[in-house]
Amino acid sequence: MADKAGGRRGRRAQGQGAEARPDEPILTRERIAATAVDMLDAKGLDGLTMRGLAEALGSGVMSLYWHVENKEAVFDLALDTVLEYRGPTALQDWRGDIVHVLEDWRATMLRHPWSALLLPRRALGPNILVRLERLSACLSAGGVADVDVNAAIWSLWNYVMGATVTRASFGPSDADREASQERLAELGTLYPSIGRSGLLLDDDWDGTFRRGLDFLLDGIAPKR
Amino acid sequence: MADKAGGRRGRRAQGQGAEARPDEPILTRERIAATAVDMLDAKGLDGLTMRGLAEALGSGVMSLYWHVENKEAVFDLALDTVLEYRGPTALQDWRGDIVHVLEDWRATMLRHPWSALLLPRRALGPNILVRLERLSACLSAGGVADVDVNAAIWSLWNYVMGATVTRASFGPSDADREASQERLAELGTLYPSIGRSGLLLDDDWDGTFRRGLDFLLDGIAPKR
DNA sequence: AAATAGATTCGTACATTGTACGAGATTTGC
DNA sequence: GCAAATCTCGTACAATGTACGAATCTATTT
């Protein structure tokens, strides 16, 4: 390797890492989080290694451990970084607002597909709670009975979660898609209904998401 | 893929493994799958190692690789093993049938919580397709318009998926639960709505699942 | 200026993992 | 009996997370 001998390396990173401010500290939780996000975006869930992260930051591997407990903590950090909600606060049309919150949520996660795989495995960070809070407010504003609000929130959560996790895993991978396609050969005989309807061929993910969401909201909407 | 050359080879293991039938082959895809399931049930997703699996089977580690491509294939095998659908075939009440299929699906996955984490990441195995086929048939029988069937299936899929994945990760872990609880302290001020409704305190998972499912089915049910 | 205490960095070492490779053993087909 | 096919498995290696403790840096006090 290049930087082996001697070893009196300055605090300046000599390498390829993202480096800008001369007086910014090399290692902070924020920089670690941001770099982890970049790396996850570029190379996926398994692509993030502590060694790689350190290299990208221009630091030694073990230096990271001063700032984060372990690799799990890096995941938590990256996840919460990505899930911050920036959106309009004003609400007028409750149903439109809900749709907006959920579509934004889904879009955010799909921009960083690893987050969809990660979120269900971790505790709810503050940025998720913000989104849930907003949902709750919309539902109440929309006249959903108090006794129904919790069930409604969870069903919406479940729906976005399922849709996004599914999309994140089936979408980008060509291998999966081919496998499904291949399976369609036998579909005709074994699975008549879903064969005929072309269930697995549908790739209008956004439209399908929206239509299913409408089903759900139809069911939730206050009946009078 | 299913059957190689039929052959009764009685290999004798010298070791410590679980051993019963004298003339059953030590290693088959079925035995590997079954043992993997046991091990996953006992020790979770990260608890399954090729070495551990081999030891439990009383074989050498590398012997496994004659029967399975790699560790991923073991996951696929275990997943499909667990997801086999045994249920009544007769359908009378379409809505009741759908509820049954989905509740059985969810229950099956929660009996093996790792499966919930795994399923979204893998291609759809035959046993999943059986369940989807059944859903499709129920919906059609229930008078859901053809153009709506696919969206309905996916929304049901999304819902079960989200609910189960969420339950599987939040449910058994006490740490997560404590973290949420702890967070409730600040809820009062930061998150008034979900604080007031006790969203995170609700632990009637089954009931909530059922109520949300009813919302969704209300929305899907043929209108008029 | 010198000393000291804390904060931060990081090289080395190790245990664990999946699995490539190829040699050995066993079974099957003739 | 023999050769090919089938199956088993020990060894070896590369990649990973991280424990440990030494080295360096910064600020504060003397």
Side-chain angles (χ1 to χ4, degrees), chain B residues 4 9 27 29 32 61-69:
Chain B
K4 324 219 73 120
R9 57 206 130 278
L27 286 184
R29 289 188 129 236
I32 291 177
V61 196
M62 293 314 289
S63 306
L64 299 175
Y65 285 86
W66 176 260
H67 303 269
V68 296
E69 177 98 9

Side-chain angles (χ1 to χ4, degrees), chain B residues 127-179:
Chain B
N127 285 334
I128 308 276
L129 291 179
V130 167
R131 293 175 126 101
L132 289 177
E133 170 71 18
R134 212 175 144 67
L135 269 189
S136 182
C138 289
L139 287 169
S140 295
V144 174
D146 276 1
V147 282
D148 284 338
V149 168
N150 277 359
I153 295 181
W154 280 127
S155 63
L156 290 169
W157 160 286
N158 290 339
Y159 182 76
V160 200
M161 229 50 190
T164 312
V165 156
T166 300
R167 169 61 164 139
S169 28
F170 288 146
S173 157
D174 299 338
D176 292 341
R177 196 146 260 280
E178 281 175 30

Side-chain angles (χ1 to χ4, degrees), chain B:
Chain B
M1 59 198 327
D3 203 355
K4 324 219 73 120
R8 295 265 90 52
R9 57 206 130 278
R11 267 299 284 114
R12 210 59 253 209
Q14 80 298 17
Q16 57 267 1
E19 178 91 28
R21 294 293 176 288
D23 55 342
E24 287 282 321
I26 303 271
L27 286 184
T28 59
R29 289 188 129 236
E30 289 72 24
R31 256 173 65 73
I32 291 177
T35 310
V37 168
D38 288 347
M39 190 159 285
L40 284 164
D41 285 346
K43 305 160 77 170
L45 255 190
D46 297 336
L48 179 72
T49 69
M50 296 303 269
R51 277 169 238 263
L53 188 53
E55 189 178 355
L57 284 161
S59 81
V61 196
M62 293 314 289
S63 306
L64 299 175
Y65 285 86
W66 176 260
H67 303 269
V68 296
E69 177 98 9
N70 50 30
K71 194 184 181 180
E72 298 269 286
V74 176
F75 281 135
D76 286 340
L77 231 40
L79 190 59
D80 202 64
T81 299
V82 140
L83 286 181
E84 189 183 355
Y85 180 66
R86 316 176 190 73
T89 331
L91 32 103
Q92 328 99 15
D93 164 29
W94 73 276
R95 185 157 168 156
D97 285 341
I98 288 185
V99 169
H100 176 268
V101 169
L102 295 183
E103 285 192 329
D104 173 85
W105 191 346
R106 171 169 176 270
T108 301
M109 297 184 79
L110 290 184
R111 233 175 284 125
H112 312 277
W114 47 270
S115 67
L117 279 332
L118 222 45
L119 177 49
R121 293 202 257 178
R122 330 235 121 237
L124 295 72
N127 285 334
I128 308 276
L129 291 179
V130 167
R131 293 175 126 101
L132 289 177
E133 170 71 18
R134 212 175 144 67
L135 269 189
S136 182
C138 289
L139 287 169
S140 295
V144 174
D146 276 1
V147 282
D148 284 338
V149 168
N150 277 359
I153 295 181
W154 280 127
S155 63
L156 290 169
W157 160 286
N158 290 339
Y159 182 76
V160 200
M161 229 50 190
T164 312
V165 156
T166 300
R167 169 61 164 139
S169 28
F170 288 146
S173 157
D174 299 338
D176 292 341
R177 196 146 260 280
E178 281 175 30
S180 299
Q181 225 71 346
E182 176 184 332
R183 195 108 45 194
L184 274 182
E186 329 156 30
L187 278 187
T189 65
L190 271 179
Y191 312 100
S193 296
I194 56 181
R196 181 161 9 91
S197 69
L199 180 70
L200 302 182
L201 291 173
D202 180 19
D203 64 346
D204 175 20
W205 296 86
D206 296 353
T208 304
F209 175 80
R210 182 57 205 271
R211 294 179 64 202
L213 182 52
D214 278 334
F215 285 147
L216 189 48
L217 289 173
D218 285 347
I220 290 174
K223 329 284 191 296
R224 139 187 20 280

Side-chain angles (χ1 to χ4, degrees), chain A residues 9 11 13-14 26-27 31-32 50-64:
Chain A
R9 96 162 74 281
R11 36 184 325 83
Q14 81 296 20
I26 303 268
L27 285 185
R31 258 173 64 72
I32 290 177
M50 296 302 270
R51 278 170 238 262
L53 188 55
E55 190 178 352
L57 284 161
S59 81
V61 196
M62 294 313 290
S63 307
L64 299 175

